[in-house]
Each structure stands twice: as structure tokens, then as C-alpha cells.
Amino acid sequence: MANHSGGLVTVDLSVFAVDYYRTWGYDRPLYVLAHDNFFRGPVGGFFERTGVIRATAAHAAEALGAGGLVLVFPGGDYDVYRPTRREGHGVAGLGSLADRNRIDAGSSGRRCQDGRVVSLGLHGLGIGAGASRPVIDAVAAAAERSGFATLWIGEHVVMVDEPSSRYPYSADGRIAIPPDADWLDPFIALSFAAAATNRIGLATGVLLLPEHNPVITAKSAASLDRLSGGRRLSLGVGVGWSKDEFEALGVPFERRAQRTEEYVAAMRTLWRDDVATFTGEFVSFEGVRVNPKPYRRTIPVICGGNSDSALQRVAEWGDGWYGFDLADVEEVAERVSVLRRMCRRVGRDFGDVKLSVSLKESRPEDLVALADIGIDELVVVAAPPDDPIVAESWVDDLARQYVGALR
């Protein structure tokens, strides 16, 4: 079934179900070397969602030299399974939920017309009870074990008792989180979540990018990407809504959207180039080295927000969209329709945009409709209990509700 010698594995997928990463005891990235048609099919999409890195013949040797595991697929019919426990390895996997998460190349699952399958994210750490180290450890490990694809963590550097700005995601214009709640720095919180897990994706949801120095942010994101083994880190960014917060940080509130766009371009330059130069209105540097680099020499930038302006940013330069706290599936469909038109207008392939959404009151049965709309990930936003043991059970209960609906 597989010829495993060192870091190179030759696989006949007609008889081999891929259990990746720590299946063989590897903590480092898993690379896939295969023909182009492989990556255009449903299994290629599966690997993209689960954080496997596509290798080419040109850099397969480099991948091996970096300590990664390379799978070589000679072709054929195949089945693919999400990661699970292999007896004898003592590796935490999806346990009893693994069979529920099986994805067959020929089956529909919760798949939309263009072949996407809705995965599940969990947005609940870094705030309040979710800012406790024991709860982070418990929730992160349980989420990975139970089949969640991504852990999302948001941020606010500053909260005020009497905000002068209207919160855009509630009818009364006020954020539901009390101003005295703990808010962890998202990079630090995600690094602890990464240390407690092996393969689950990580995402900021969202980082208020114009409040930050882009050079430092590029380094922080790349450092997290490297220390987490090159797993699927997504940098969700937003332009911010609280004028009070910007004033406290000494950052102009005006033109924050333009600042965000330029910061993203500057960070992509730093991630890509060994010696980087960038000249802009808000940030400039010449001949600088910022290391480490992300494993893929880039990090997906996901634009948060539900407004037309936010969707325009997605269409023009974002790698994906995080629609937050949308009213219902109907609003999701309307916003996706707008985004499709915007992508068409700027000549962007809509299929290249990852779509993640959270709903005000999400339900497992929404997964079917979301798949039909083309959503890649439903993010469940919920606050964990403050007891880590209870928090583990809480994650397992969520998984039973949602993962069962993926069958």
C-alpha cells in the first residue's frame, strides 16, 4: 500500500486511505507531489482544506531537506479519510467520529455544486472564560479530536465603558462582551492553542490590522506559522469600527481601509522576498530581511466584515471572506451573490476565494443550505464554560450536533 522510507512515501490511492501528519509520528509539514489533475479534483480540495502543502518536483528535495514528509501519488481511483487514530501509534485523532467524517471522492456529502464541502470552525477562545490557559488547552485539543477544522480567535486591544462608535454586528449598536472582559492577544492565544494540538487550523477572526505595525505583524504571523508546523494559519483581518480604540493607540481612524490594504501588500512582500523593499503612503522599507518566512512563503489573508466595502476588499485582494454574525442563511446567500458579482467585475475567479461565515443562531441543519450556497466553513461562535473538564464535554456536544449533520 505504501513504501515508506525516510521522508518519501509512494502511495497507491486505490488501496490506501491517507492518515497524515502524526500518523507516522511526524510533527512537521506534509507535502503532496502529484499531477495537476489530482489537485483539480475533490481530493485535491480535501488536501487544501486540511493543510497539506502541495509540492512540485522542483522543490520536493527542499521539502525533504526541511524535515517534511512527502507523499507521491502515482494516480488511480481513491478514497480519502480525515485523520484518525491508527492503532499502535497512540496518536490523538477523531476517535469515534472519524467514520462520520469520511469523504469519498464519488460521494456528495455536504457538497455544493462546485465540489466544496462545508467544514466546521470554532470561535470561542481568547475572550472571557476562553482566555484561561487550562480552557484553551482543553477546548483546542477537544476541537481537534472532535473534527473541527479551524480555531478562530479575535481581538480588541482596547475596550471602553461608553463607546462613541456603533458596533456594526448588533441591532442596538453595542457589543455583547462586557468592557472588563479579558481579551488575549490573538497570536499569543493561538500559539498556546497550537501547542496543545497537532493539526487543527488556526485563524485570527479578526485581527484589526490598521492598529498594528505591519512589519511586526508579518513577523508574528510567520513565527506562529513556523512554530505550529506550517499548518493552516489564516490571517483574518478587519479595518476596525471603534474610533475610541484607534484614538487610544494613536492611529488615525480615517482611511483605515486604505491603510489595511497597503499593510497587506507590504506583509506579502516581506513573506515572499528574502530581501524586501516596499514603498507606500503608510509604510515603506528598503532592503530589509524579516525572518522566519512562512512555510509557503505566504499566509492566506481573510477579510472580515459584511458590508459591501468589506466584500469589495475580498474581491480585490483578499484570499477569503469571514462573514461574521450574519442573520441567517438567506443573508449569507445575498452577501455571496454580491461577492460573486464583485469578483466578476474585477476579473477574479470566485472559486479561488475561501468563504467562512458565522450566524447569529447557527443550526446543524444549516450546513446543507450553506453547502449549496458555496460556503467552505461554518464557524460556530460560542463561549466555553470556565471549567476545562466541562469545556471538553461542551466541545464534544457541539461536535455531535454538527459533525453528525455532515454525514
Side-chain angles (χ1 to χ4, degrees), residues 227-287:
L227 288 177
S228 62
R231 70 178 81 175
R232 294 170 301 111
L233 171 65
S234 296
L235 187 67
V237 301
V239 301
W241 56 268
S242 172
K243 187 174 182 180
D244 305 296
E245 188 166 10
F246 278 77
E247 289 178 349
L249 295 168
V251 178
F253 190 63
E254 295 73 21
R255 305 193 68 226
R256 62 195 185 280
Q258 293 84 353
R259 184 183 296 270
T260 299
E261 180 178 359
E262 186 173 297
Y263 281 7
V264 169
M267 291 191 302
R268 285 171 169 163
T269 300
L270 292 167
W271 292 330
R272 181 189 66 237
D273 297 343
D274 289 329
V275 181
T277 296
F278 186 90
T279 303
E281 178 182 357
F282 304 104
V283 57
S284 297
F285 44 81
E286 182 175 356

Side-chain angles (χ1 to χ4, degrees), residues 124-298:
L125 294 178
I127 307 171
S132 156
R133 167 70 186 278
V135 171
I136 290 175
D137 288 349
V139 169
E144 178 173 83
R145 182 176 63 248
S146 298
F148 284 91
T150 313
L151 292 170
W152 294 77
I153 296 181
E155 82 154 348
H156 274 291
V157 179
V158 169
M159 297 284 282
V160 297
D161 291 342
E162 296 297 331
S164 62
S165 300
R166 181 179 178 83
Y167 180 63
Y169 302 106
S170 68
D172 63 2
R174 297 185 68 88
I175 192 169
I177 299 167
D180 60 351
D182 288 336
W183 283 78
L184 296 181
D185 177 282
F187 288 128
I188 295 176
L190 284 170
S191 71
F192 276 78
T197 56
N198 298 306
R199 62 182 176 272
I200 194 169
L202 310 169
T204 55
V206 291
L207 182 83
L208 302 175
L209 184 58
E211 297 180 355
H212 297 270
N213 180 297
V215 179
I216 295 174
T217 302
K219 188 180 186 72
S220 296
S223 298
L224 175 58
D225 183 71
R226 294 293 294 227
L227 288 177
S228 62
R231 70 178 81 175
R232 294 170 301 111
L233 171 65
S234 296
L235 187 67
V237 301
V239 301
W241 56 268
S242 172
K243 187 174 182 180
D244 305 296
E245 188 166 10
F246 278 77
E247 289 178 349
L249 295 168
V251 178
F253 190 63
E254 295 73 21
R255 305 193 68 226
R256 62 195 185 280
Q258 293 84 353
R259 184 183 296 270
T260 299
E261 180 178 359
E262 186 173 297
Y263 281 7
V264 169
M267 291 191 302
R268 285 171 169 163
T269 300
L270 292 167
W271 292 330
R272 181 189 66 237
D273 297 343
D274 289 329
V275 181
T277 296
F278 186 90
T279 303
E281 178 182 357
F282 304 104
V283 57
S284 297
F285 44 81
E286 182 175 356
V288 301
R289 293 180 181 269
V290 175
N291 291 309
K293 303 296 183 191
Y295 269 107
R296 300 165 183 80
R297 290 281 181 149
T298 191

Side-chain angles (χ1 to χ4, degrees), residues 110-129:
R110 294 294 176 247
R111 190 184 300 276
C112 61
Q113 293 178 354
D114 63 1
R116 295 182 182 182
V117 176
V118 180
S119 59
L120 292 170
L122 182 59
H123 188 151
L125 294 178
I127 307 171

